[in-house]
Short mmCIF file of all heavy atoms in Angstrom, two decimals:
data_model
loop_
_atom_site.label_atom_id
_atom_site.label_comp_id
_atom_site.label_asym_id
_atom_site.label_seq_id
_atom_site.Cartn_x
_atom_site.Cartn_y
_atom_site.Cartn_z
N ASP A 130 -8.38 6.54 -5.45
CA ASP A 130 -7.26 6.88 -6.37
C ASP A 130 -6.83 8.23 -6.04
O ASP A 130 -7.71 9.15 -5.76
CB ASP A 130 -7.70 6.71 -7.87
CG ASP A 130 -8.07 5.38 -8.14
OD1 ASP A 130 -7.30 4.40 -7.76
OD2 ASP A 130 -9.19 5.17 -8.80
N PRO A 131 -5.49 8.65 -6.00
CA PRO A 131 -4.38 7.74 -6.50
C PRO A 131 -3.88 6.79 -5.53
O PRO A 131 -2.78 6.01 -5.68
CB PRO A 131 -3.39 8.80 -6.97
CG PRO A 131 -3.44 10.00 -6.02
CD PRO A 131 -5.08 9.92 -5.84
N TRP A 132 -4.40 6.73 -4.21
CA TRP A 132 -4.10 5.88 -3.17
C TRP A 132 -3.76 4.45 -3.77
O TRP A 132 -2.76 3.81 -3.51
CB TRP A 132 -4.99 5.79 -2.07
CG TRP A 132 -4.63 4.76 -1.04
CD1 TRP A 132 -3.76 4.92 -0.01
CD2 TRP A 132 -5.24 3.43 -0.98
NE1 TRP A 132 -3.71 3.68 0.66
CE2 TRP A 132 -4.73 2.82 0.10
CE3 TRP A 132 -6.23 2.83 -1.59
CZ2 TRP A 132 -5.01 1.57 0.49
CZ3 TRP A 132 -6.60 1.50 -1.29
CH2 TRP A 132 -5.86 0.83 -0.21
N ARG A 133 -4.83 3.95 -4.43
CA ARG A 133 -4.76 2.51 -4.98
C ARG A 133 -3.43 2.19 -5.87
O ARG A 133 -2.75 1.28 -5.66
CB ARG A 133 -6.03 2.19 -5.68
CG ARG A 133 -6.03 0.80 -6.25
CD ARG A 133 -7.39 0.38 -6.64
NE ARG A 133 -8.27 1.49 -7.17
CZ ARG A 133 -9.54 1.40 -7.16
NH1 ARG A 133 -10.21 0.47 -6.54
NH2 ARG A 133 -10.37 2.44 -7.66
N GLN A 134 -3.18 3.10 -6.76
CA GLN A 134 -2.07 2.91 -7.67
C GLN A 134 -0.76 3.07 -6.86
O GLN A 134 0.21 2.27 -7.03
CB GLN A 134 -2.01 4.04 -8.79
CG GLN A 134 -3.18 3.87 -9.86
CD GLN A 134 -4.54 4.52 -9.44
OE1 GLN A 134 -4.66 4.98 -8.25
NE2 GLN A 134 -5.48 4.61 -10.30
N ASN A 135 -0.65 4.05 -6.02
CA ASN A 135 0.46 4.20 -5.13
C ASN A 135 0.81 3.20 -4.12
O ASN A 135 1.93 2.74 -4.08
CB ASN A 135 0.41 5.53 -4.48
CG ASN A 135 0.56 6.71 -5.39
OD1 ASN A 135 1.39 6.62 -6.47
ND2 ASN A 135 -0.10 7.84 -5.00
N ILE A 136 -0.34 2.61 -3.60
CA ILE A 136 0.00 1.53 -2.68
C ILE A 136 0.46 0.26 -3.36
O ILE A 136 1.28 -0.54 -2.98
CB ILE A 136 -1.34 1.26 -1.79
CG1 ILE A 136 -0.99 0.64 -0.48
CG2 ILE A 136 -2.35 0.29 -2.53
CD1 ILE A 136 -0.65 1.64 0.58
N LYS A 137 -0.07 0.02 -4.62
CA LYS A 137 0.39 -1.23 -5.34
C LYS A 137 1.86 -0.92 -5.74
O LYS A 137 2.63 -1.97 -5.79
CB LYS A 137 -0.47 -1.31 -6.63
CG LYS A 137 -1.91 -1.82 -6.29
CD LYS A 137 -2.75 -2.03 -7.41
CE LYS A 137 -4.12 -2.73 -7.12
NZ LYS A 137 -4.98 -2.87 -8.37
N GLU A 138 2.19 0.33 -6.11
CA GLU A 138 3.55 0.55 -6.58
C GLU A 138 4.50 0.34 -5.25
O GLU A 138 5.54 -0.26 -5.52
CB GLU A 138 3.66 2.04 -7.08
CG GLU A 138 5.10 2.45 -7.43
CD GLU A 138 5.75 1.53 -8.61
OE1 GLU A 138 4.97 0.95 -9.35
OE2 GLU A 138 6.97 1.39 -8.55
N LEU A 139 4.07 0.87 -4.19
CA LEU A 139 4.93 0.74 -3.04
C LEU A 139 5.11 -0.86 -2.69
O LEU A 139 6.19 -1.29 -2.23
CB LEU A 139 4.39 1.30 -1.70
CG LEU A 139 5.15 1.19 -0.47
CD1 LEU A 139 6.52 1.83 -0.47
CD2 LEU A 139 4.18 1.75 0.68
N ALA A 140 4.05 -1.65 -2.84
CA ALA A 140 4.06 -3.06 -2.53
C ALA A 140 4.93 -3.78 -3.48
O ALA A 140 5.28 -4.92 -3.07
CB ALA A 140 2.53 -3.54 -2.58
N ARG A 141 5.34 -3.24 -4.51
CA ARG A 141 6.25 -3.96 -5.34
C ARG A 141 7.61 -4.22 -4.70
O ARG A 141 8.42 -5.01 -5.17
CB ARG A 141 6.39 -3.28 -6.73
CG ARG A 141 5.21 -3.21 -7.63
CD ARG A 141 5.41 -2.44 -8.80
NE ARG A 141 6.49 -3.05 -9.64
CZ ARG A 141 7.59 -2.26 -10.17
NH1 ARG A 141 7.48 -0.95 -9.98
NH2 ARG A 141 8.53 -2.78 -10.80
N ARG A 142 7.98 -3.43 -3.72
CA ARG A 142 9.16 -3.52 -2.92
C ARG A 142 8.96 -4.71 -1.80
O ARG A 142 8.23 -4.49 -0.93
CB ARG A 142 9.57 -2.18 -2.21
CG ARG A 142 10.12 -1.18 -3.17
CD ARG A 142 9.06 -0.50 -4.07
NE ARG A 142 9.66 0.55 -4.89
CZ ARG A 142 9.09 1.04 -5.91
NH1 ARG A 142 7.97 0.62 -6.33
NH2 ARG A 142 9.72 1.91 -6.70
N GLU A 143 9.63 -5.72 -2.07
CA GLU A 143 9.22 -6.95 -1.17
C GLU A 143 9.75 -6.80 0.15
O GLU A 143 9.48 -7.60 1.02
CB GLU A 143 9.84 -8.20 -1.96
CG GLU A 143 9.09 -8.49 -3.22
CD GLU A 143 9.53 -9.83 -3.84
OE1 GLU A 143 10.41 -10.48 -3.12
OE2 GLU A 143 9.08 -10.23 -4.78
N ASN A 144 10.47 -5.65 0.53
CA ASN A 144 10.99 -5.43 1.92
C ASN A 144 10.08 -4.61 2.54
O ASN A 144 10.26 -4.16 3.72
CB ASN A 144 12.41 -4.78 1.89
CG ASN A 144 12.41 -3.46 1.02
OD1 ASN A 144 11.68 -3.40 0.00
ND2 ASN A 144 13.16 -2.45 1.51
N VAL A 145 8.73 -4.30 2.05
CA VAL A 145 7.74 -3.63 2.68
C VAL A 145 6.61 -4.40 3.11
O VAL A 145 5.91 -5.23 2.19
CB VAL A 145 7.24 -2.33 1.77
CG1 VAL A 145 6.15 -1.54 2.53
CG2 VAL A 145 8.47 -1.53 1.26
N TYR A 146 6.06 -4.43 4.35
CA TYR A 146 4.99 -5.03 4.85
C TYR A 146 3.85 -4.02 5.12
O TYR A 146 4.11 -2.82 5.05
CB TYR A 146 5.32 -5.81 6.19
CG TYR A 146 6.17 -6.95 6.00
CD1 TYR A 146 7.43 -6.81 5.70
CD2 TYR A 146 5.78 -8.33 6.09
CE1 TYR A 146 8.49 -7.87 5.67
CE2 TYR A 146 6.55 -9.43 6.05
CZ TYR A 146 7.90 -9.20 5.81
OH TYR A 146 8.77 -10.26 5.69
N CYS A 147 2.79 -4.36 5.47
CA CYS A 147 1.64 -3.53 5.68
C CYS A 147 0.72 -3.93 6.70
O CYS A 147 0.30 -5.16 6.86
CB CYS A 147 0.89 -3.26 4.37
SG CYS A 147 -0.54 -2.06 4.36
N LYS A 148 0.29 -2.97 7.63
CA LYS A 148 -0.77 -3.24 8.66
C LYS A 148 -2.20 -2.99 8.17
O LYS A 148 -2.39 -1.76 7.67
CB LYS A 148 -0.47 -2.44 9.81
CG LYS A 148 0.89 -2.91 10.52
CD LYS A 148 1.10 -2.02 11.69
CE LYS A 148 2.52 -2.51 12.33
NZ LYS A 148 2.81 -1.55 13.61
N VAL A 149 -3.18 -3.80 8.43
CA VAL A 149 -4.52 -3.60 8.27
C VAL A 149 -5.00 -3.05 9.62
O VAL A 149 -5.42 -3.70 10.52
CB VAL A 149 -5.38 -4.90 7.91
CG1 VAL A 149 -6.85 -4.57 7.81
CG2 VAL A 149 -4.77 -5.50 6.69
N SER A 150 -4.99 -1.83 9.62
CA SER A 150 -5.26 -1.05 10.89
C SER A 150 -5.72 0.36 10.55
O SER A 150 -5.44 0.89 9.55
CB SER A 150 -4.09 -1.03 11.86
OG SER A 150 -2.97 -0.41 11.24
N GLY A 151 -6.35 1.01 11.41
CA GLY A 151 -6.63 2.53 11.34
C GLY A 151 -7.68 2.85 10.26
O GLY A 151 -7.92 4.14 10.12
N LEU A 152 -8.37 1.95 9.60
CA LEU A 152 -9.31 2.34 8.65
C LEU A 152 -10.62 3.02 9.25
O LEU A 152 -11.10 4.09 8.65
CB LEU A 152 -9.76 1.25 7.89
CG LEU A 152 -8.69 0.73 6.73
CD1 LEU A 152 -9.32 -0.51 6.04
CD2 LEU A 152 -8.38 1.81 5.70
N VAL A 153 -11.00 2.53 10.35
CA VAL A 153 -12.25 3.25 10.93
C VAL A 153 -11.97 4.62 11.38
O VAL A 153 -13.10 5.41 11.23
CB VAL A 153 -12.71 2.38 12.09
CG1 VAL A 153 -13.35 1.00 11.66
CG2 VAL A 153 -11.76 2.05 13.15
N THR A 154 -10.84 5.05 11.78
CA THR A 154 -10.74 6.29 12.20
C THR A 154 -10.30 7.32 11.01
O THR A 154 -10.39 8.52 11.17
CB THR A 154 -9.54 6.44 13.12
OG1 THR A 154 -8.32 5.67 12.79
CG2 THR A 154 -10.06 5.90 14.58
#
């Protein structure tokens, strides 16, 4: 947090997709 709250808010925009990448770095 606050990443979790903000990512959920951004995802409410249905024109936004997301990549599962870059976590290990």
Side-chain angles (χ1 to χ4, degrees):
D130 301 314
W132 171 82
R133 179 163 34 204
Q134 289 86 352
N135 287 326
I136 204 83
K137 289 181 178 180
E138 179 60 29
L139 178 62
R141 291 180 57 228
R142 283 77 179 160
E143 295 187 358
N144 56 324
V145 182
Y146 293 74
C147 182
K148 292 179 184 177
V149 178
S150 58
L152 283 179
V153 286
T154 47

